[in-house]
Amino acid sequence: MENKDDKLKDVISHAKEYGYIFPSSEIYDGLAATYDYGQLGSELKNNIKQYWWKAMVQMHENIVGIDSAIFMHPTVWKASGHVDAFNDPLIDNKDSKKRYRADVLIEEHIEKIRQKIEKEVTKGKKRFGDDFDEAQFRETNPNVLRNVSKIKEIEDRMRKGLDDGDLESIYQLIVDLEISCPISGSKNWTEVRQFNLMFSTELGSVAGDAATIYLRPETAQGIFVNFLNVQKSGRMKVPFGIAQIGKAFRNEIVARQFIFRMREFEQMEMQFFVRPGEELKWYEYWKEVRVKWHQALGLGESNYRFHDHIKLAHYANAACDIEFDFPMGFKELEGIHSRTDFDLKQHEQHAGKKLQYFDPEMNQNYVPYVIETSLGLDRMFLAVFSSSLQQEKLEDGSERSVLKLPAALAPYKVAVMPLTKKDGLPEKAREIIDGLKLDFQCQYDEKDSIGKRYRRQDAIGTPFSVTVDHQTLEDNTVTIRDRDTMEQDRIPIAELPGRLGDRVEMKALLKQL
């Protein structure tokens, strides 16, 4: 069984070799935690965006999309709390000179204790076989109970320290738990300090007169400041949502794990405006809807889990993450938050303008409450790519690297290959592509043996390959090969669009929602 580190290395090298992701500015030895999406990566990324946008906007008549500017008035970030409170608690190891988020170190320690619990449960299953009552075992086994209470104690201490802004107690917790640096192995820590994550720059040509402005650290505020513009111009009735896909920027100190945590990243966010008092009903609704969206991709239901937040943001009354089993273990993929009326009220206060909705049914004005769904596009890309990359042993003893991407997301839907480069086969193949390319992204491939070409298409994730041979010239039939099963079928050229469409169009995903 491949270990997690090796899996991530495989993902990174495969992504580079096949044109998915390159280190940014690589000819200058790169820039830490920034990456460029290559010719296939940008296709996959666009397909993920399209799946999200269609599911969110096209499939919901009460949700519309916007595209707000990256630069915003600096008071926006004062109002949102980012100027004063957008900090991470950081701690340095004096021996490795590496900096870590203190809360992440503690959470990773908790995860190790959780693994011990799961090991006990697995041992119990082996020992008792079919008679095993897992629920009862978890409630009575002394080792499990001891570890559960350990986790609770650590979580309570961490929550209190973070809530109180008591960094000394967070430092003490790291010392008490004897957490060591993953690199140096030493426990030689500095105190915990706060660090603001916003990138700032200056507006205007003269530095002295310039106002400090920020690169947005999230896309949500662009939605909040346009709440009334959208509501009035679109004649929107509560409940309604505003969706947006866009870049955000955070000066992450601990930017690592490939594209999982970067300083420049893309978010797909939707803010859903509801009546006060109905927010928790809608919170549950969006949890269900979003998990369904993920599971429709077929990446494996066991790869997802919900994680309720230990420390709620000051504006939230409920929050959870959909976590995914990445090559680095379970980590946050999407956040779902009940943000109350915090954001709109803050902007009302700082802008001195009313941001209220008149509800004709209730005959009253109110500031709506907000449910947020926030998905990192780059993390989504990593989830799809890493879970699709598989090494398979074939019957003849050989191996193949296959990228089993959900067909609707794959960069190329079909590769068309002439068996040889002569006898009019390339011309026939081009003719077939001309008939398909209005509907599908196609690739023409004539280099190397047919077997090597199949392997190459498997490695880049193309769901179908079509081979044009001499029989094609006689009866207009081709061989279509399925990437996942490697099965081959002989079908008439006229049937290709139907055969492909059933499997590779976005509709196939949207119908499951």
Side-chain angles (χ1 to χ4, degrees):
M1 182 71 185
E2 187 177 39
N3 74 34
K4 296 278 192 184
D5 284 349
D6 287 346
K7 174 72 176 174
L8 187 59
K9 281 179 192 151
D10 288 347
V11 164
I12 294 168
S13 66
H14 197 91
K16 186 180 176 196
E17 184 181 350
Y18 291 100
Y20 276 91
I21 296 176
F22 307 128
S24 183
S25 319
E26 191 180 16
I27 60 169
Y28 295 102
D29 297 328
L31 180 65
T34 52
Y35 291 89
D36 297 335
Y37 286 83
Q39 66 278 22
L40 294 190
S42 52
E43 289 287 343
L44 174 54
K45 199 179 184 193
N46 282 336
N47 291 340
I48 294 171
K49 283 190 208 181
Q50 197 189 10
Y51 174 44
W52 185 86
W53 193 267
K54 281 178 179 291
M56 200 57 93
V57 179
Q58 188 172 314
M59 304 285 283
H60 292 95
E61 59 184 73
N62 61 341
I63 299 178
V64 293
I66 66 166
D67 184 6
S68 66
I70 286 170
F71 290 134
M72 302 178 79
H73 193 286
T75 313
V76 167
W77 304 111
K78 189 81 184 151
S80 67
H82 283 83
V83 171
D84 299 318
F86 192 49
N87 303 308
D88 271 350
L90 300 176
I91 189 166
D92 295 352
N93 182 269
K94 293 174 187 171
D95 298 318
S96 68
K97 308 284 187 284
K98 288 285 178 189
R99 184 168 281 176
Y100 300 93
R101 267 180 56 180
D103 55 332
V104 170
L105 284 177
I106 297 166
E107 278 172 1
E108 283 171 354
H109 183 83
I110 290 170
E111 188 58 36
K112 282 179 189 160
I113 303 174
R114 269 206 189 97
Q115 297 300 330
K116 284 182 185 169
I117 294 173
E118 295 313 313
K119 265 191 189 153
E120 283 293 334
V121 173
T122 308
K123 272 192 335 206
K125 272 183 192 156
K126 270 190 189 155
R127 197 179 320 141
F128 299 112
D130 292 342
D131 302 330
F132 184 61
D133 181 339
E134 187 174 327
Q136 189 190 4
F137 185 82
R138 285 179 185 273
E139 282 164 22
T140 55
N141 180 276
N143 290 340
V144 169
L145 292 174
R146 191 168 54 250
N147 282 321
V148 166
S149 86
K150 246 189 227 175
I151 288 174
K152 187 180 182 314
E153 186 197 337
I154 296 168
E155 285 182 343
D156 288 347
R157 280 181 67 184
M158 177 162 91
R159 187 189 296 117
K160 187 171 184 341
L162 292 172
D163 284 348
D164 298 347
D166 180 0
L167 299 182
E168 176 58 36
S169 73
I170 297 293
Y171 168 78
Q172 197 51 52
L173 181 54
I174 287 172
V175 171
D176 293 349
L177 294 173
E178 298 187 351
I179 293 175
S180 55
C181 167
I183 290 167
S184 68
S186 86
K187 303 179 182 79
N188 191 5
W189 298 108
T190 63
E191 74 275 22
V192 179
R193 292 186 299 271
Q194 292 285 20
F195 181 86
N196 193 288
L197 300 179
M198 279 199 295
F199 282 107
S200 61
T201 184
E202 287 168 335
L203 189 64
S205 55
V206 185
D209 302 333
T212 296
I213 62 167
Y214 301 97
L215 292 177
R216 66 182 180 196
E218 63 174 33
T219 57
Q221 299 307 321
I223 292 175
F224 295 129
V225 299
N226 279 300
F227 163 72
L228 270 190
N229 286 335
V230 172
Q231 190 270 316
K232 287 186 168 162
S233 63
R235 297 181 305 140
M236 308 299 291
K237 287 195 182 99
V238 164
F240 74 92
I242 303 176
Q244 172 165 231
I245 298 175
K247 289 266 182 153
F249 307 85
R250 293 181 184 179
N251 195 6
E252 295 277 6
I253 286 302
V254 191
R256 61 176 200 266
Q257 294 173 326
F258 195 32
I259 56 171
F260 181 80
R261 191 183 299 284
M262 298 192 289
R263 296 188 172 98
E264 172 189 341
F265 56 97
E266 216 160 338
Q267 288 181 306
M268 306 192 287
E269 294 200 317
M270 192 277 298
Q271 309 295 330
F272 196 70
F273 300 93
V274 303
R275 281 179 181 166
E278 293 189 356
E279 70 278 4
L280 294 179
K281 172 187 86 174
W282 285 108
Y283 170 72
E284 292 301 330
Y285 168 84
W286 280 109
K287 274 174 71 172
E288 205 175 299
V289 168
R290 293 306 303 145
V291 143
K292 214 169 170 190
W293 181 89
H294 287 284
Q295 290 178 346
L297 290 169
L299 304 180
E301 291 194 12
S302 61
N303 282 328
Y304 301 92
R305 72 181 187 194
F306 277 116
H307 171 70
D308 290 316
H309 283 206
I310 294 175
K311 177 183 187 284
L312 285 179
H314 54 96
Y315 51 73
N317 64 356
C320 72
D321 296 329
I322 297 172
E323 294 187 332
F324 187 81
D325 193 6
F326 288 98
M328 312 81 65
F330 273 99
K331 299 217 175 260
E332 180 194 349
L333 177 59
E334 174 163 10
I336 298 156
H337 312 118
S338 176
R339 292 180 76 120
T340 68
D341 55 2
F342 171 81
D343 299 275
L344 291 177
K345 279 209 164 137
Q346 284 291 106
H347 289 304
E348 269 197 341
Q349 195 183 322
H350 284 78
K353 295 188 175 69
K354 279 199 166 165
L355 297 176
Q356 297 188 358
Y357 170 75
F358 176 71
D359 192 323
E361 283 177 33
M362 295 172 72
N363 197 28
Q364 71 177 75
N365 282 309
Y366 55 76
V367 176
Y369 273 49
V370 175
I371 306 301
E372 168 181 74
T373 72
S374 176
L375 173 61
L377 174 55
D378 308 275
R379 289 181 180 190
M380 189 64 205
F381 185 109
L382 183 58
V384 169
F385 193 92
S386 61
S387 57
S388 299
L389 182 59
Q390 295 171 22
Q391 302 296 326
E392 288 186 349
K393 258 237 164 24
L394 304 180
E395 283 173 13
D396 64 2
S398 66
E399 282 197 4
R400 69 164 183 160
S401 274
V402 56
L403 196 57
K404 292 189 172 180
L405 296 168
L409 302 184
Y412 291 113
K413 307 304 186 217
V414 60
V416 182
M417 314 170 178
L419 192 57
T420 62
K421 291 187 203 173
K422 51 181 199 267
D423 303 335
L425 298 184
E427 289 78 5
K428 189 67 180 173
R430 297 273 184 204
E431 189 187 304
I432 291 170
I433 283 186
D434 285 342
L436 293 174
K437 69 184 178 189
L438 287 173
D439 295 308
F440 310 104
Q441 186 78 306
C442 308
Q443 187 175 50
Y444 176 81
D445 193 356
E446 66 173 22
K447 186 179 180 297
D448 294 325
S449 71
I450 199 74
K452 277 188 178 165
R453 283 183 266 172
Y454 283 154
R455 286 289 168 273
R456 187 160 57 234
Q457 296 303 330
D458 291 344
I460 65 173
T462 309
F464 292 103
S465 297
V466 167
T467 308
V468 176
D469 55 22
H470 292 89
Q471 192 185 331
T472 309
L473 302 179
E474 293 163 26
D475 63 7
N476 269 333
T477 64
V478 288
T479 300
I480 184 166
R481 174 186 180 269
D482 184 298
R483 173 198 68 198
D484 297 345
T485 63
M486 296 188 288
E487 283 171 7
Q488 301 187 14
D489 253 352
R490 191 93 200 173
I491 66 168
I493 292 170
E495 285 179 20
L496 275 177
R499 174 73 77 96
L500 293 173
D502 290 343
R503 281 281 304 281
V504 306
E505 284 178 351
M506 203 64 78
K507 254 189 282 192
L509 289 177
L510 298 174
K511 276 179 185 166
Q512 298 176 56
L513 303 181

